[in-house]
Amino acid sequence: MPVLLLIFHFMHPFHVSVCDIKYSKPQESLQITHRIFIDDLENAIRNENGIFLDIIKSEEENKKSLEEYVQKYIGHRFLISINGKDMQPVYLGMELEGDVVWIYWETSEIIAPKNLKIFNSILLEQFDDQINLTHVDINGTIKTVKTDQRKNTGKVSF
């Protein structure tokens, strides 16, 4: 059985991205982190822009260009509205960990977020079975929004 699990791990048979949103009361900001499989993100950017992007190699060689493509891709597919006001998260950076890329964003001047509307269509154009999970942590209370082909927007209230 362990060999079978190992094979499934390397085949990357599931398509999921995870986003964590955490409210920082002292900084009055939402800290947003996306975790996406590198190969899925590379394919999505290639299909959208007609270029081959090697995130692992490009990170050092041409980081500015790489980050522009990543910001553009995520920025068009992840939108957030807080208390009825559309927010434009600011890109902070990214880092690699194994076969996953972590992408960091932040929104500022957020006071007492009560209602969040989240549009998350990351990789939905790539895979019929893509699932995007967005975990929202406001003052220790965590709620999750799941988006997929049937529903790319969700709401949470605190």
Side-chain angles (χ1 to χ4, degrees):
M1 186 66 156
V3 173
L4 185 59
L5 291 175
L6 187 62
I7 290 170
F8 283 139
H9 173 74
F10 287 109
M11 288 176 53
H12 180 34
F14 58 94
H15 299 105
V16 64
S17 77
V18 177
C19 175
D20 293 311
I21 300 174
K22 184 172 177 116
Y23 177 61
S24 171
K25 191 172 184 175
Q27 296 176 351
E28 296 181 342
S29 70
L30 287 181
Q31 299 162 349
I32 303 167
T33 304
H34 293 279
R35 286 175 281 173
I36 304 171
F37 284 108
I38 292 171
D39 59 336
D40 293 344
L41 185 58
E42 287 173 339
N43 288 332
I45 290 172
R46 178 176 48 247
N47 291 337
E48 182 174 281
N49 298 287
I51 61 152
F52 178 77
L53 185 65
D54 187 328
I55 290 176
I56 294 172
K57 289 182 182 175
S58 296
E59 185 184 25
E60 294 303 319
E61 295 171 8
N62 198 355
K63 191 172 182 176
K64 185 175 192 257
S65 177
L66 163 68
E67 289 187 345
E68 287 173 2
Y69 283 112
V70 170
Q71 286 178 64
K72 177 183 169 192
Y73 180 81
I74 302 296
H76 288 124
R77 288 168 180 80
F78 184 84
L79 306 170
I80 188 166
S81 175
I82 302 166
N83 300 334
K85 181 181 175 187
D86 292 340
M87 302 302 294
Q88 184 65 43
V90 174
Y91 174 78
L92 300 177
M94 60 187 259
E95 63 183 341
L96 305 177
E97 181 181 282
D99 57 354
V100 173
V101 59
W102 294 71
I103 306 163
Y104 305 102
W105 304 79
E106 185 175 47
T107 61
S108 57
E109 300 178 15
I110 307 297
I111 300 172
K114 298 205 182 310
N115 300 299
L116 284 81
K117 181 178 178 184
I118 299 164
F119 170 80
N120 188 345
S121 68
I122 294 171
L123 301 174
L124 292 183
E125 80 284 359
Q126 299 295 310
F127 307 108
D128 291 338
D129 62 343
Q130 177 69 32
I131 295 172
N132 297 319
L133 299 174
T134 303
H135 306 296
V136 183
D137 179 346
I138 306 293
N139 300 323
T141 301
I142 301 172
K143 297 189 178 183
T144 299
V145 171
K146 176 187 162 207
T147 58
D148 56 25
Q149 292 293 336
R150 295 179 305 276
K151 184 179 173 191
N152 60 17
T153 303
K155 297 178 182 180
V156 290
S157 296
F158 293 87

Coordinates of all heavy atoms in Angstrom, one line a residue, residues 116-145:
L116 N -17.0 38.9 3.8 CA -16.0 38.8 2.8 C -16.7 38.1 1.6 O -17.3 37.0 1.8 CB -14.8 38.1 3.2 CG -13.8 38.8 4.1 CD1 -14.2 38.8 5.5 CD2 -12.4 38.2 3.9
K117 N -16.5 38.6 0.4 CA -16.9 37.9 -0.8 C -15.6 37.6 -1.6 O -14.8 38.5 -1.8 CB -17.8 38.8 -1.6 CG -18.3 38.2 -2.9 CD -19.2 39.1 -3.7 CE -19.7 38.5 -5.0 NZ -20.5 39.5 -5.7
I118 N -15.5 36.3 -1.9 CA -14.2 35.9 -2.5 C -14.5 35.2 -3.9 O -15.3 34.3 -4.0 CB -13.6 34.8 -1.6 CG1 -13.2 35.5 -0.2 CG2 -12.3 34.2 -2.2 CD1 -12.9 34.6 0.9
F119 N -13.9 35.8 -4.9 CA -13.9 35.2 -6.2 C -12.6 34.5 -6.4 O -11.5 35.1 -6.3 CB -14.1 36.3 -7.3 CG -13.9 35.8 -8.7 CD1 -14.9 35.2 -9.4 CD2 -12.7 36.1 -9.3 CE1 -14.7 34.7 -10.7 CE2 -12.5 35.6 -10.6 CZ -13.5 35.0 -11.3
N120 N -12.6 33.2 -6.6 CA -11.3 32.4 -6.8 C -11.5 31.5 -7.9 O -12.1 30.4 -7.8 CB -11.0 31.7 -5.5 CG -9.6 31.1 -5.5 OD1 -9.0 30.9 -6.6 ND2 -9.1 30.7 -4.4
S121 N -11.0 31.8 -9.1 CA -11.1 31.0 -10.3 C -9.7 30.5 -10.7 O -9.5 30.1 -11.9 CB -11.8 31.7 -11.4 OG -11.0 32.8 -11.9
I122 N -8.8 30.5 -9.8 CA -7.4 30.0 -10.1 C -7.5 28.6 -10.6 O -8.1 27.7 -10.0 CB -6.5 30.1 -8.8 CG1 -6.3 31.6 -8.4 CG2 -5.2 29.4 -9.0 CD1 -5.7 31.8 -7.1
L123 N -6.9 28.4 -11.8 CA -6.8 27.1 -12.5 C -8.1 26.5 -12.9 O -8.1 25.4 -13.4 CB -6.0 26.1 -11.6 CG -4.6 26.5 -11.2 CD1 -3.9 25.5 -10.3 CD2 -3.7 26.7 -12.5
L124 N -9.2 27.1 -12.7 CA -10.5 26.6 -13.2 C -10.5 26.4 -14.7 O -11.2 25.5 -15.2 CB -11.7 27.4 -12.7 CG -11.9 27.4 -11.2 CD1 -13.2 28.2 -10.8 CD2 -12.0 26.0 -10.6
E125 N -9.8 27.2 -15.4 CA -9.8 27.1 -16.9 C -8.9 25.9 -17.3 O -8.9 25.5 -18.4 CB -9.3 28.4 -17.5 CG -7.8 28.6 -17.5 CD -7.2 29.1 -16.1 OE1 -8.0 29.2 -15.1 OE2 -6.0 29.3 -16.1
Q126 N -8.1 25.4 -16.4 CA -7.2 24.3 -16.7 C -7.7 22.9 -16.5 O -7.4 22.0 -17.2 CB -5.9 24.5 -15.8 CG -5.1 25.8 -16.1 CD -4.6 25.9 -17.5 OE1 -3.9 25.0 -17.9 NE2 -4.9 27.0 -18.1
F127 N -8.5 22.8 -15.4 CA -8.9 21.4 -15.0 C -10.4 21.4 -14.6 O -10.8 22.2 -13.8 CB -8.1 21.0 -13.7 CG -6.6 21.1 -14.0 CD1 -5.9 22.1 -13.3 CD2 -5.9 20.2 -14.8 CE1 -4.5 22.2 -13.5 CE2 -4.5 20.3 -15.0 CZ -3.8 21.3 -14.3
D128 N -11.1 20.4 -15.1 CA -12.5 20.2 -14.8 C -12.7 19.9 -13.3 O -13.8 20.2 -12.8 CB -13.1 19.1 -15.7 CG -13.2 19.6 -17.1 OD1 -13.2 20.8 -17.4 OD2 -13.3 18.6 -18.0
D129 N -11.7 19.2 -12.7 CA -11.9 18.8 -11.3 C -11.1 19.7 -10.3 O -11.0 19.4 -9.2 CB -11.4 17.4 -11.2 CG -9.9 17.2 -11.5 OD1 -9.3 18.1 -12.1 OD2 -9.3 16.2 -11.1
Q130 N -10.7 20.9 -10.8 CA -10.0 21.9 -9.9 C -10.9 22.3 -8.8 O -12.1 22.6 -8.9 CB -9.6 23.1 -10.7 CG -8.9 24.2 -9.9 CD -7.5 23.8 -9.4 OE1 -6.8 23.0 -10.0 NE2 -7.1 24.2 -8.2
I131 N -10.3 22.3 -7.6 CA -11.0 22.8 -6.4 C -10.1 23.8 -5.7 O -8.9 23.6 -5.6 CB -11.3 21.7 -5.4 CG1 -12.3 20.7 -5.9 CG2 -11.8 22.2 -4.0 CD1 -12.4 19.4 -5.1
N132 N -10.6 25.0 -5.4 CA -9.9 26.0 -4.7 C -10.5 26.2 -3.3 O -11.7 26.5 -3.2 CB -9.9 27.3 -5.4 CG -9.3 27.2 -6.8 OD1 -8.2 26.6 -6.9 ND2 -9.9 27.8 -7.8
L133 N -9.7 26.0 -2.3 CA -10.1 26.2 -0.9 C -9.5 27.5 -0.4 O -8.3 27.7 -0.5 CB -9.7 25.1 0.0 CG -10.2 23.7 -0.4 CD1 -9.6 22.6 0.4 CD2 -11.7 23.7 -0.3
T134 N -10.4 28.4 0.2 CA -9.9 29.6 0.8 C -10.3 29.6 2.2 O -11.5 29.6 2.6 CB -10.5 30.9 0.1 OG1 -10.2 30.8 -1.3 CG2 -10.0 32.1 0.7
H135 N -9.3 29.5 3.1 CA -9.6 29.5 4.6 C -9.4 31.0 5.1 O -8.4 31.6 4.9 CB -8.6 28.6 5.3 CG -8.6 27.2 4.8 ND1 -9.6 26.4 4.8 CD2 -7.6 26.6 4.2 CE1 -9.3 25.2 4.3 NE2 -8.1 25.3 3.9
V136 N -10.5 31.5 5.8 CA -10.5 32.8 6.3 C -10.4 32.8 7.8 O -11.3 32.2 8.4 CB -11.7 33.6 5.8 CG1 -11.6 35.1 6.2 CG2 -11.8 33.6 4.2
D137 N -9.4 33.4 8.4 CA -9.3 33.5 9.8 C -9.4 34.9 10.3 O -8.5 35.8 10.0 CB -7.9 32.9 10.2 CG -7.6 32.9 11.7 OD1 -8.3 33.6 12.5 OD2 -6.7 32.3 12.1
I138 N -10.5 35.2 11.0 CA -10.8 36.5 11.5 C -10.8 36.4 13.0 O -11.7 35.7 13.6 CB -12.1 37.2 11.0 CG1 -12.1 37.2 9.5 CG2 -12.3 38.6 11.6 CD1 -11.1 38.1 8.8
N139 N -9.8 36.9 13.7 CA -9.8 36.9 15.2 C -9.9 35.4 15.7 O -10.6 35.2 16.7 CB -10.8 37.8 15.8 CG -10.6 39.2 15.3 OD1 -9.5 39.7 15.2 ND2 -11.7 39.9 15.1
G140 N -9.3 34.5 15.1 CA -9.4 33.1 15.6 C -10.5 32.3 15.1 O -10.6 31.1 15.3
T141 N -11.5 32.9 14.5 CA -12.6 32.1 13.9 C -12.3 31.8 12.4 O -12.0 32.8 11.7 CB -14.0 32.9 14.0 OG1 -14.2 33.2 15.4 CG2 -15.1 32.1 13.4
I142 N -12.3 30.6 12.0 CA -11.9 30.2 10.7 C -13.2 29.7 9.9 O -13.9 28.8 10.4 CB -10.8 29.1 10.7 CG1 -9.6 29.6 11.4 CG2 -10.5 28.7 9.3 CD1 -8.5 28.6 11.7
K143 N -13.3 30.2 8.7 CA -14.4 29.7 7.8 C -13.7 29.5 6.5 O -12.7 30.1 6.1 CB -15.5 30.8 7.7 CG -16.2 31.0 9.0 CD -17.4 31.8 8.9 CE -18.1 32.0 10.3 NZ -19.3 32.7 10.2
T144 N -14.3 28.5 5.7 CA -13.7 28.1 4.4 C -14.7 28.3 3.3 O -15.9 28.1 3.4 CB -13.3 26.6 4.5 OG1 -12.4 26.5 5.5 CG2 -12.8 26.2 3.2
V145 N -14.2 28.8 2.2 CA -14.9 29.0 0.9 C -14.3 28.0 -0.1 O -13.1 28.0 -0.2 CB -14.8 30.4 0.4 CG1 -15.4 30.5 -1.0 CG2 -15.5 31.4 1.3

